[in-house]
Amino acid sequence: MSKNHALLEIKDLHTGFDIGGEFHHAVKGVSFDVNPKEVVCVVGESGCGKSVMSLSVMKLLPKHNGKIDKGEILFNGKNLADLSEKEMNRVRGKDISMIFQEPMTALNPVLTIGFQLDEVLLNHSKASKEQVRKKSIQLLKDVGISRSEQVVHEYPHQLSGGMRQRVMIAIAIACEPALLIADEPTTALDVTVQAQILELMKKIQDDKGMAVLMITHDLGVVAEMADKVVVMYAGQVVEQSDVDRIFHDPKHPYTRALLDSIPKMEERVDELNTIKGIVPSLKNMPQQGCRFVDRCPSAMPECKQIDPQLGETNKGHAVRCLLYETSQPGAKTEVRS
Ligand SMILES: Nc1ncnc2c1ncn2[C@@H]1O[C@H](COP(=O)(O)OP(=O)(O)O)[C@@H](O)[C@H]1O
Ligand SMILES: [Mg+2]
């Protein structure tokens, strides 16, 4: 494969749903890259289109009402949007794999852990059943399950949430994919278990040199894991940059609000600083202007009329906000109080 492109290039992705006979976009013009071995975190509140974006990459959208209607998803330069279901099945698990928030929904309750892990390995290799079972046991050890010889004979419900997520990680990395997509992989877990799973993911990413596309609403996870950050709001990318600049020089009022909503260690918190208002639903999406305008502390009258474009303010740092568009009044002014 040619070497001049990223591992994953999402270009102008538009994905939507048929809702009561009308088509509404949940992802509208999203573009970003994931380079080999890079950890990219996509952040945003619930309902911003993060899962729809990641399901689009895996082509796992609900068939009855969801579809990608514009854009490209290039993996090693090949457009996944053009692949048949059969071709896509070869990509899933082998080149790209995905772990979800709730491992119980991804694991089959009536099959043993060993069977489910063996199956992935058998699907993508010519190894014998015995070789595969040995590898399954080793994989479970690699994800920190010490009694893996027993666990292969157990069923998902016999394991704790954290253990199930470890199993999912083992299944996801079984074929050493170049890209792992993790959609809120720790959200459903207890805080201490969350930290262990994140630690494990970091270690595996490091050992295997995989790229990771991590979906989260948790900026703590971003600080722990990310090389690059993509901030999504209402189906669009509103800011994108390397992780240091997101935390130290955030530009978009939405990114700033997200950062302000993290409780600070040194503060006594009586009330979390949540962002006022809610993410608009697909049916209530503003038809023109900035999608954040109603919740934005820096909104200007023209924000309701003009669609802001995602533009670079600095090399590798892009923002979708009129405050930073040089042709607009108020542009490039320092808005942080
Ligand atoms: N199957 C679906 N049918 C209709 N609307 C959907 C469907 N899945 C997601 N949506 C809508 O798309 C938007 C983005 O959802 P989602 O990607 O799940 O958000 P996030 O993962 O960022 O919390 C939401 O408004 C959600 O209600
Ligand atoms: Mg989601």
Side-chain angles (χ1 to χ4, degrees):
M1 306 247 164
S2 89
K3 32 189 160 9
N4 292 329
H5 44 65
L7 180 66
L8 179 75
E9 292 170 77
I10 301 178
K11 291 184 168 177
D12 199 29
L13 179 68
H14 286 66
T15 303
F17 299 98
D18 187 318
I19 304 170
E22 276 179 57
F23 190 75
H24 295 275
H25 283 115
V27 169
K28 198 166 195 297
V30 165
S31 303
F32 66 89
D33 295 347
V34 182
N35 291 308
K37 303 183 183 181
E38 191 175 45
V39 180
V40 176
C41 284
V42 178
V43 284
E45 291 160 288
S46 183
C48 283
K50 306 181 300 294
S51 293
V52 173
M53 183 277 297
S54 49
L55 292 171
S56 303
V57 174
M58 293 301 275
K59 303 226 315 192
L60 291 174
L61 295 163
K63 287 200 171 52
H64 65 284
N65 71 340
K67 76 163 191 234
I68 298 173
D69 74 328
K70 195 176 162 197
E72 290 179 322
I73 300 162
L74 303 176
F75 182 74
N76 277 325
K78 192 164 61 176
N79 191 5
L80 300 181
D82 292 339
L83 297 190
S84 67
E85 185 55 24
K86 201 170 149 209
E87 291 167 317
M88 197 59 212
N89 267 333
R90 279 200 291 267
V91 171
R92 286 189 209 116
K94 187 165 190 312
D95 299 315
I96 310 178
S97 50
M98 183 157 178
I99 52 179
F100 300 89
Q101 180 172 336
E102 188 22 85
M104 207 52 196
T105 57
L107 289 168
N108 189 328
V110 301
L111 299 174
T112 62
I113 302 299
F115 185 94
Q116 299 187 55
L117 199 41
D118 294 353
E119 194 175 49
V120 181
L121 291 164
L122 287 166
N123 271 343
H124 296 291
S125 83
K126 295 193 177 65
S128 71
K129 281 204 163 156
E130 293 74 48
Q131 288 169 320
V132 156
R133 179 47 63 98
K134 250 175 102 178
K135 176 127 197 240
S136 292
I137 290 171
Q138 184 55 48
L139 275 164
L140 292 174
K141 289 209 164 88
D142 292 347
V143 297
I145 300 179
S146 51
R147 38 172 220 102
S148 57
E149 276 94 351
Q150 288 95 59
V151 169
V152 285
H153 301 294
E154 291 176 358
Y155 292 87
H157 73 265
Q158 293 175 271
L159 305 177
S160 67
M163 289 291 257
R164 285 200 287 261
Q165 200 55 297
R166 285 177 194 270
V167 169
M168 277 314 300
I169 294 172
I171 291 175
I173 63 168
C175 300
E176 313 222 336
L179 176 65
L180 175 68
I181 302 178
D183 189 353
E184 310 261 7
T186 60
T187 303
L189 305 171
D190 295 343
V191 178
T192 49
V193 182
Q194 277 185 11
Q196 292 162 8
I197 296 291
L198 271 190
E199 202 51 50
L200 171 67
M201 291 194 60
K202 244 166 58 179
K203 182 176 179 303
I204 289 171
Q205 189 272 332
D206 217 43
D207 290 350
K208 311 262 179 207
M210 286 181 307
V212 175
L213 178 58
M214 169 80 91
I215 316 296
T216 182
H217 66 268
D218 183 344
L219 283 156
V221 172
V222 178
E224 282 285 311
M225 296 282 298
D227 296 315
K228 195 162 83 189
V229 184
V230 173
V231 183
M232 273 185 79
Y233 185 73
Q236 299 180 317
V237 175
V238 295
E239 182 158 7
Q240 180 185 319
S241 100
D242 63 70
V243 65
D244 286 344
R245 273 190 286 186
I246 286 291
F247 283 97
H248 297 118
D249 187 22
K251 299 279 191 212
H252 199 286
Y254 181 60
T255 312
R256 293 173 177 216
L258 281 180
L259 287 165
D260 285 343
S261 68
I262 313 176
K264 310 269 182 311
M265 262 318 200
E266 64 273 19
E267 280 174 16
R268 233 202 86 210
V269 191
D270 291 321
E271 200 180 305
L272 281 184
N273 237 334
T274 49
I275 311 173
K276 70 170 172 26
I278 52 163
V279 181
S281 70
L282 301 189
K283 286 184 155 183
N284 294 318
M285 211 49 89
Q287 290 308 300
Q288 69 169 5
C290 172
R291 296 182 161 202
F292 187 57
V293 66
D294 289 336
R295 306 175 70 190
C296 180
S298 312
M300 307 176 288
E302 56 273 34
C303 295
K304 276 191 187 278
Q305 273 92 48
I306 304 168
D307 293 355
Q309 304 301 312
L310 188 67
E312 278 202 348
T313 58
N314 228 318
K315 205 172 166 346
H317 190 171
V319 186
R320 185 189 296 278
C321 175
L322 290 190
L323 291 169
Y324 305 96
E325 284 187 24
T326 39
S327 57
Q328 295 307 318
K332 295 256 153 116
T333 51
E334 203 37 68
V335 287
R336 183 122 220 177
S337 51

